[in-house]
Amino acid sequence: MMMLVLNQTDMNPRSFLLTGIPGLEDLHLWISFPFCSMYVVAVVGNCGLLYLICCEDSLHRPMYYFLAMLSLTDLVMCSSTIPKALSIFWFHLKEISFEECLVQMVLVHTFTGMESGVLMLMALDRYVAICYPLRYATILTNPVIAKAGLSTFLRGVFLIIPFTLLVKRLPFCRGNVIPHTYCDHMSVAKLSCGNIKANVVYGLMAALLIGGFDILCITVSYTMILRAVVSLSSAEARQKAFSTCTAHICAIVFSYSPAFFSFFSHRFGGHTIPPSCHIIVANIYLLLPPTMNPVVYGVKTKQIQDCVIRILSGSKNTKSHDL
């Protein structure tokens, strides 16, 4: 009985060691500077957007409510991993408890799924704004927006929580060293000497249910938007309609490009692409959207620029009725 308890304890480590970026240990300090800079820009930019949307009456509209969801999601997504990565790079604090690892894993996967879901909701918002402009305010009411955001969050939670159950059931007998900067589901599962087929299958299924569904909705939305815009007789109206989608299209590119690279390289280029490249791209996937989204929306959205100018000049709020 004592031997059984001892073996069971050995099978479930109390902590893991995150190595950072394997093969580039000598460059950790230099790598930390762009990571830290991007993280500071992400925190300041997204907090600034949340403040503007909260305080400016002219931004109390569906498009900006969805943007607030995106900013909040981005803040949690990058803050769940980058501080730990920087502590590895700067102070060699590599240890993370088993429970903290599970929490980090759930946060990362839940809010990357949330990011994808919010981008899908923003595509639907642009579809309604361009294709049904006269019914925009009646279709996207505050209760509808709140329910859509809550549903997107709960979808991520309910699909990701099983990851913890699948990991907890595994026996860990291949050490406790994770060659990564954060606890990723498959990085943890690969330390097990048990059967991880269920982890692989469910991970792929969750990715398809979240990412696949969202990409399909975004594609359909923009197909309908393109048809509606092309049918407009005025070139100026077409340009204005397209301009309202520019920032959102940039956000989609920043979010899905590293995700697609990571997904396909793991499955088709696993032996030719070094692990350090996979890990850098995984971190870029969590850092690039939070860093660039506030910049893009600040540059491409006139209403946000006007609000910033009013705050800096001390002017009063004014209402805006542009879509």
Side-chain angles (χ1 to χ4, degrees), residues 8-290:
Q8 185 66 25
T9 302
D10 291 341
M11 293 295 102
N12 296 278
R14 292 183 179 180
S15 64
F16 293 107
L17 292 178
L18 295 166
T19 63
I21 304 177
L24 299 179
E25 288 84 0
D26 294 338
L27 299 176
H28 275 180
L29 184 60
W30 295 104
I31 294 172
S32 69
F33 291 123
F35 274 47
C36 183
S37 300
M38 292 175 72
Y39 181 60
V40 170
V41 172
V43 171
V44 173
N46 285 290
C47 287
L49 272 181
L50 288 171
Y51 174 79
L52 284 177
I53 295 169
C54 178
C55 297
E56 290 291 321
D57 292 340
S58 60
L59 301 183
H60 291 176
R61 293 161 44 224
M63 172 182 172
Y64 301 105
Y65 292 146
F66 288 127
L67 180 56
M69 292 182 197
L70 186 66
S71 291
L72 189 59
T73 300
D74 284 341
L75 279 172
V76 177
M77 189 170 71
C78 63
S79 296
S80 63
T81 59
I82 300 306
K84 180 60 181 177
L86 293 177
S87 71
I88 295 171
F89 296 155
W90 288 342
F91 309 112
H92 305 289
L93 299 177
K94 300 180 179 182
E95 187 173 7
I96 184 170
S97 71
F98 184 77
E99 292 75 18
E100 289 173 337
C101 187
L102 292 182
V103 170
Q104 187 183 59
M105 182 178 69
V106 169
L107 287 175
V108 168
H109 292 296
T110 297
F111 282 90
T112 52
M114 181 77 178
E115 171 99 357
S116 176
V118 174
L119 288 174
M120 180 265 292
L121 294 177
M122 295 176 83
L124 296 177
D125 166 77
R126 292 298 84 201
Y127 165 70
V128 175
I130 292 173
C131 297
Y132 302 98
L134 299 179
R135 298 172 56 194
Y136 181 70
T138 58
I139 293 175
L140 292 177
T141 60
N142 288 348
V144 169
I145 294 169
K147 290 176 183 177
L150 181 61
S151 299
T152 303
F153 174 71
L154 292 178
R155 177 192 69 168
V157 170
F158 289 134
L159 284 174
I160 300 305
I161 285 296
F163 281 174
T164 61
L165 304 178
L166 289 170
V167 168
K168 277 188 172 183
R169 72 180 178 85
L170 294 173
F172 290 93
C173 51
R174 292 179 178 172
N176 65 339
V177 177
I178 301 175
H180 213 304
T181 57
Y182 62 87
C183 290
D184 173 78
H185 171 232
M186 287 310 301
S187 297
V188 176
K190 286 177 181 178
L191 294 179
S192 173
C193 54
N195 188 349
I196 64 171
K197 184 176 180 180
N199 298 69
V200 174
V201 172
Y202 186 78
L204 183 59
M205 184 182 73
L208 291 175
L209 287 174
I210 295 176
F213 175 78
D214 293 343
I215 291 170
L216 176 63
C217 289
I218 291 171
T219 302
V220 172
S221 295
Y222 271 99
T223 300
M224 300 300 289
I225 288 171
L226 187 61
R227 289 178 58 185
V229 171
V230 169
S231 66
L232 295 174
S233 57
S234 169
E236 183 180 353
R238 287 197 295 268
Q239 183 179 1
K240 183 177 180 181
F242 273 127
S243 67
T244 65
C245 300
T246 304
H248 181 243
I249 292 172
C250 290
I252 291 172
V253 172
F254 290 137
S255 181
Y256 283 113
S257 295
F260 281 136
F261 177 86
S262 182
F263 181 84
F264 288 109
S265 63
H266 269 296
R267 282 154 183 80
F268 304 109
H271 299 294
T272 58
I273 301 176
S276 59
C277 183
H278 287 295
I279 295 170
I280 290 174
V281 171
N283 281 277
I284 289 174
Y285 174 48
L286 300 179
L287 257 180
L288 187 63

Side-chain angles (χ1 to χ4, degrees), residues 44-45 47-60 302-318:
V44 173
C47 287
L49 272 181
L50 288 171
Y51 174 79
L52 284 177
I53 295 169
C54 178
C55 297
E56 290 291 321
D57 292 340
S58 60
L59 301 183
H60 291 176
K302 187 177 184 299
Q303 288 81 8
I304 293 178
Q305 294 175 4
D306 292 342
C307 289
V308 172
I309 293 172
R310 282 200 300 272
I311 289 176
L312 294 177
S313 62
S315 301
K316 294 182 179 179
N317 289 352
T318 58

